[in-house]
Structures are given as C-alpha cells and as structure tokens.
Amino acid sequence: MTAALRIARAEWGFWLRSRLLRTALAVFGLLLTAIAVLSATRIETESARRAAQQQAAEAAFIAQPDRHPHRMVHYGHYVFRTPPPLAMFDPGIDAVAGQALFLEGHRQNSAAFAEAPSAAGVGAFGVPHPALAYQLLVPLLLIALGHAAFAREREAGTLAPLLAQGVRPAQLAAGKAIALGVAALAMLLPAAGLAALAVADGESPTVAALQMLLYAGYLVVWVLAVLLLGALLPRRADVLGALLLVWLATTLVLPRLAASHAATAAASGKIAADIALLEGLRNAGDGHNAADPAFDALRRQLLAQHGVERVEDLPVNFRGVVATIAEERLTALLNEAAERRMAQERAQSAQLAAFAWASPALATGIASRALSGTDLAAMHRFQREAEALRFEFVQGLNQVHANRLRYADDIQRSVDPEAERRTRVDASHWRLLRAFSFEPAAPAARRANAFAASVALAAWLVALALGLRIAVARLRP
Amino acid sequence: MVPALEADALTILRGGRPALRGVSFVVRPGEVHALLGGNGAGKSTTLLAFLGFLAPAQGSVRVEGADVGADPAHARQRIAYLPENAALYEHLDAYENLDYFLALAGLRAVRAAIDAALDRVALAPAARTRRLETYSKGMRQKVAIALALLRETPILLLDEPTSGLDPVAIDEFNRLLRELANAGRTVLMVTHDVYGACQVADRIGLLRDGALVGRFEAAPGARIDTEAVHAAFVAREPA
C-alpha cells in the first residue's frame, strides 16, 4: 500500500472514531438519500400527472361536437411541459416556471402552473432537491471533515514525525485528498441512484454520467479548496473560519448577487412586450373582420386570381382565407416579439453565467440545469414547440374554415339558424390536432449548453490543484 | 572518516530573525553528541535543519556527507527523529501508532519486534493496547523512543528525549543510548538537562542565542565534567 493510501486510511480511521464526524456522515447520508427519494417521487408524480393532463386535454379537444371551426380556434387547447428524467436530480426552472400553456387563436399566452402542488417549489428556499443539496450542503460536510487535515497534524505536533519518516508533503496531501475525495464520492451515491433511475426512464446514459462527473468535479473543487486553505493557514480555527466565509460567499452571496445583477439587464418581459406589440397587431388587421381595410389588397388579389367580381363567387370562403392570412401575419409579429424577449432573457442568463468564473457553485448549477434539460433553453424550446403546435392547429382549422364552409352561410349564420347549422363541420376534423409531448433536448445540445460553465468549473479545478501543489511544497512542521 | 552529521557555518532565519548564527560542528559515527542550551537557544532548529525542514540562509548541513538541501529524502531515510513532547496519535494505541509510522517509513515490523522495542523502553504490556490519550507524558515518550529504535536508522535525532520521564526511566534511557552508540549508531540529542547530557554524551556543544559558545569532550573512559558544563551553561558571557 502506498504512503498516500495509508494516510487516507488513517484519516478515515480518525473520522470513524470521532462520534461527531460519524454522526455528521450518517446524518448527511440519510439526508441526501431522503432528498433523493422525495425528489424522485415528486418528479415521477408530476411527470405522470402532466402526461395524464396532456392526454385529457387532447381527448377533450377531439371530443368536441360538430361546430364552426373558428369556435374550435377559440376553444383552444392545453399543452404541458413534462419534466425530463434528470429533473429528479435538478428540477431547475421546473418549480418556478409555468408548466402549462393555453393555446388559442390570435394569442401567445404565458405559461401557467398546472396544479397548486406544481408550484410548491416557489418561495423561500423552495423544495429541497438533490442538486441544491450537493451544491450547498455537501461542501459543508467536506469542510467539517477536512478543515483540520493539516492543522490537526500541525497542532498535535505529528506533522514533523510524519515528514521525518520520509513522507513527502505531496504524498501527505494526496492521502488527505484521497480520504476526503472518497467521502465526497460516497456522498454521491444517492445522486448516482437518481441518475440510474433517470436512465431507466429514458435519459441518455452519457448525459446522466456527465451529470455525475460534473458533481464529482464540483466536490473535488471543494476537496482541493479545503486542503489548500488547510495547508496555508496555521490553526484549525483559522481554516474553519476562512472556509465558512468562502462557502458563504461562493454558494449563497455570489449567486444571489449575480441574479440581482442579471435582473438589471434590459428585459421587457412578456406583458410589456405584448403592450409594445399592440400597434403592430392593429396594422396587421382584424382576422374576424373580412371588411378590415388591411385585407383589401388580399381581396383584390383573390378576385383577380379567380376572375370573379364578388367574394361570394370565390371557390374558397373569403372569411376563412382572411382568418388564415391574419393568423399568419399576427404569428409572425408575435414570434418576432417572442424571439426578441427570449434573446433578452438569454442575455440576462449570460450575465449570470459570467459570475460562474467567481463561483464554482454557480458554474455547477448552470451546467447541471443544462444537462438535466431544466434550464432557460428548455423553457424557450417548450414555448417554441407549443407555439408551433398552436399555429399548426389554428391554421388547420382556418383551412377547414376556408375550404369547407360557404361564404354566404358564414356571413348569415348569426341571423339564419339553417346557415348556422351548415357552418358546423364534422367533429372528425378536430383530429387534425397533433399529439404533443415535450421531450428533453438532444444530448449533444444539452452538452453544448453546459460546456461554458463546465469550463469555468474545470478552471477552478486546475487553479486549486496548482495552488495546493504550491502550498503543499512549502508545508513545514 | 565522513562525519555522520555536519553543520558548517550554519545560519538559519526564522520569522526573519536569526535562530542559528554560523554554527559549525560535526558528529562522528557511533557518537552520542548533546547540544545544550536554554529556551530559544536554537537546539530544535538545529535538528529541523538536519531533517531538511528548515533551509540554511548561509552555510550547510550534511548527513553522511550528503548535502541535506540537495537531498532531504536521503537525510530522512538515514535519520530517526524523536520530536519534543513525543507527538503521536492520541486516538491510536501504541501498536497502531508504531505500525502506522513504520509503514510510512516503508518498514513492516512484526508484532514480536514491536514488543521487543517496547520491552526495551519498559512500556508495560497492558498499556500497549490502550489509546495514547490515556498515557502519561513519559509513556508517550517511551512509544516515541521505541519508534526511533524500530526505524533502525544509523542516526537518531532526539529532541528533549528525557522530558517527562521519571528518574528511573531516565537512567534506563541513558543506558539504552549508550548501548545504541556502542552498537555503532550515532545520536544527536538536544536538551537543557546538564546532568543527563554529561551522563551519556561523548561530546557536548553549548548553544546560546543561536551561537555555539562552548564545546566539551569526555576524556577516554571518563564522563564530561558536569560542574564545568553547568558553570558554562549558567554563565552570562560565552564560555
């Protein structure tokens, strides 16, 4: 057995003989396991609930009776953002962003909370989840275990006899790092269980492994930080105080400062963006009013195209055509505004990410949400996919309106019950609604989203390893 | 003959101030050499310099002719070091402490050899499986001495080795040191115990304020004169 392994074994022996540290290890192990089980149960339940709600919404849409297709445009439809498998480990925005979107004609609605329990994570520190526990709590355990690694030897006078046996300072540091590193990896076992469960639920094994690698890297950052300050500072009280300050600054203060800073970046928000859009929407024309001057050119073009004098003589229902064109113009404007808003949100997110270079916890959190598929990019993708579905079924209904209904009936239906009856189309048309299922982004896309923050974390690893190497080379009794 | 230990114009700075100032002496193989001095005289600093824990600001230290600064690993391989206060692990028993330190030194001693070493330092068998936190200072010192013996290195550096021992144990320890020296092992011990040093040492160096201010050597078959050393030790001016 090498000197480093003997030192590591001696360190474990010391921890296991200390009632306080033994208790701390047991409490943390139980706590992490409990959080993992609760989180897995919660996300599995949420996932099943939202999938069931999605099916119920689709069934309700298809079950609508024969009616005017534009009534179905306004009847609308719900889509639900089912959490990805790795949300069990890091729910990310799942708890704080809406999970359901109501899709209807002429509007892009904001996401809302589907059920009260879905919003339980909002407020205070929210529902504890494994990612948060690993980012915040496990470093505290590593500090408790490792802060005295060198100071204890120095204070007890055992550093001199240790080094006098021919042990090199680098071997001593390696032994302490192995001991602390193994403790950190043991704490990752509940997380590994969740990752395995996520893989069983369909998650990419590569992404799940990368997620574990990310957290192993984060905990190694803390192992190195604990040992670096332990090697630099003479007394264990100094080491403990310094480490707690670093923990407070990098896991609590800096991420919140970063969030506050990012919030100052210009971002109009959904409601402000909607208000700014109003003028553009007015110019696009009212799709309910075929006589709106905005559609004069369209009318002239159609009449000329079909060589007729009146819209009544067109082979298509002019009101349906107007609804189709209006929806197209309006959607282009709404999408442009939505992309503008999402770009602003991405800019805010980038400002937050800049702080990752100052906080390994922030870097880990950003990369973790990206890998889990619970980051802002996932929310934007959900909004885009939902919008694509909305546009698709609304335009499908508008096509039915244009092609299946006679213009003459359409304009008389509010005063003529027979005309109204004839404008009802067969309910089988509602089957044009495509089934919606929100799937996680491709592994390559998630890896790409996590790359920059992972590089920041790797930079921390390298810097701390170099710092420890220098500090340990100067280690003296 | 190559000296076992050699300090040549050794100057060491600690906290920016000189802890040793141009100290020169040699310790011959098989010799018991004592460095005497009061608190802060530079005795422990000298030992740490031989182990390569403190780098000379000027001068050099050599172990068996090899410069310690250039190869501290060689020095630590050839030296067994007994620190002041016998620093060992309180949560381990005597066997566990010895096993651990010997393993780190790359040695594997069987239980019989460890028991023999503990017998030699007169540590009661019943105490050997008790944690060191229950030991007296003298008992800890005995375990530390046993470790130095088990290392079987040609050179022993002892920092206040009899501190905490009762008179009987001191007597036994001094006898043990003589046996080791007679077997060819070199001992450099630092102490402020004038009587003990004169009892066991072949030569004595007197340190004061980081400078070597006196040297004493036993005549063949005789001991160093305790009175003369004591007088030099307590004198205000260098001897």
Side-chain angles (χ1 to χ4, degrees), chain B residues 76-176:
Chain B
R76 291 169 201 167
Q77 197 181 22
R78 306 294 289 168
I79 291 172
Y81 168 59
L82 173 63
E84 192 178 3
N85 295 325
L88 295 164
Y89 292 103
E90 301 274 299
H91 64 285
L92 302 179
D93 65 26
Y95 289 122
E96 289 169 330
N97 265 294
L98 293 173
D99 278 338
Y100 181 54
F101 280 107
L102 289 171
L104 290 182
L107 301 171
R108 185 177 173 81
V110 294
R111 183 56 65 94
I114 292 177
D115 275 325
L118 291 171
D119 287 343
R120 240 174 137 183
V121 297
L123 184 73
R128 295 173 191 179
T129 50
R130 288 199 338 245
R131 289 187 188 188
L132 263 65
E133 64 197 3
T134 65
Y135 279 27
S136 68
K137 190 176 177 188
M139 290 165 78
R140 280 183 210 143
Q141 199 75 349
K142 287 178 178 179
V143 179
I145 295 165
L147 173 62
L149 295 177
L150 285 161
R151 284 283 310 274
E152 292 185 335
T153 54
I155 302 166
L156 280 90
L157 300 188
L158 311 175
D159 195 345
E160 305 285 2
T162 55
S163 163
L165 297 184
D166 59 46
V168 174
I170 290 175
D171 213 37
E172 286 170 353
F173 176 72
N174 285 343
R175 250 199 316 275
L176 178 63

Side-chain angles (χ1 to χ4, degrees), chain A residues 343-399:
Chain A
Q344 287 172 341
E345 288 169 357
R346 279 197 303 276
Q348 281 188 329
S349 203
Q351 289 206 11
L352 183 81
F355 281 79
W357 294 95
S359 164
L362 192 57
T364 305
I366 291 168
S368 170
R369 288 189 291 276
L371 286 173
S372 293
T374 56
D375 58 352
L376 182 67
M379 186 64 187
H380 285 169
R381 198 165 52 79
F382 171 65
Q383 288 168 337
R384 288 193 186 100
E385 287 183 15
E387 171 53 24
L389 180 71
R390 185 199 73 82
F391 186 68
E392 182 185 307
F393 88 76
V394 167
Q395 291 299 67
L397 291 168
N398 284 336
Q399 287 298 307

Side-chain angles (χ1 to χ4, degrees), chain A residues 6 17 153 157 162 165 476, chain B residues 53 87 89 91 96 151:
Chain A
R6 283 188 194 285
R17 289 188 195 210
E153 308 278 8
L162 266 182
Q165 306 310 313
R476 294 287 180 272
Chain B
F53 293 150
Y89 292 103
H91 64 285
E96 289 169 330
R151 284 283 310 274

Side-chain angles (χ1 to χ4, degrees), chain A residues 258-411:
Chain A
S260 302
H261 175 71
T264 61
S268 51
K270 176 80 171 73
I271 295 169
D274 284 353
I275 293 169
L277 255 180
L278 285 176
E279 190 182 345
L281 295 178
R282 271 195 300 272
N283 294 337
D286 177 4
H288 293 113
N289 180 12
D292 190 312
F295 304 112
D296 284 350
L298 173 68
R299 182 188 300 106
R300 283 196 299 275
Q301 182 207 329
L302 277 175
L303 292 175
Q305 185 184 335
H306 293 285
V308 294
E309 298 283 318
R310 304 180 313 154
V311 290
E312 288 83 348
D313 299 328
L314 284 170
V316 289
N317 182 340
F318 184 61
R319 292 183 81 173
V321 174
V322 164
T324 305
I325 296 298
E327 194 66 36
E328 191 178 309
R329 289 178 185 172
L330 173 141
T331 300
L333 283 170
L334 289 175
N335 282 348
E336 196 181 311
E339 288 299 333
R340 215 164 30 238
R341 177 175 50 77
M342 286 191 261
Q344 287 172 341
E345 288 169 357
R346 279 197 303 276
Q348 281 188 329
S349 203
Q351 289 206 11
L352 183 81
F355 281 79
W357 294 95
S359 164
L362 192 57
T364 305
I366 291 168
S368 170
R369 288 189 291 276
L371 286 173
S372 293
T374 56
D375 58 352
L376 182 67
M379 186 64 187
H380 285 169
R381 198 165 52 79
F382 171 65
Q383 288 168 337
R384 288 193 186 100
E385 287 183 15
E387 171 53 24
L389 180 71
R390 185 199 73 82
F391 186 68
E392 182 185 307
F393 88 76
V394 167
Q395 291 299 67
L397 291 168
N398 284 336
Q399 287 298 307
V400 171
H401 187 174
N403 297 321
R404 300 278 173 181
L405 268 60
R406 289 180 56 238
Y407 179 77
D409 291 335
D410 213 14
I411 59 174

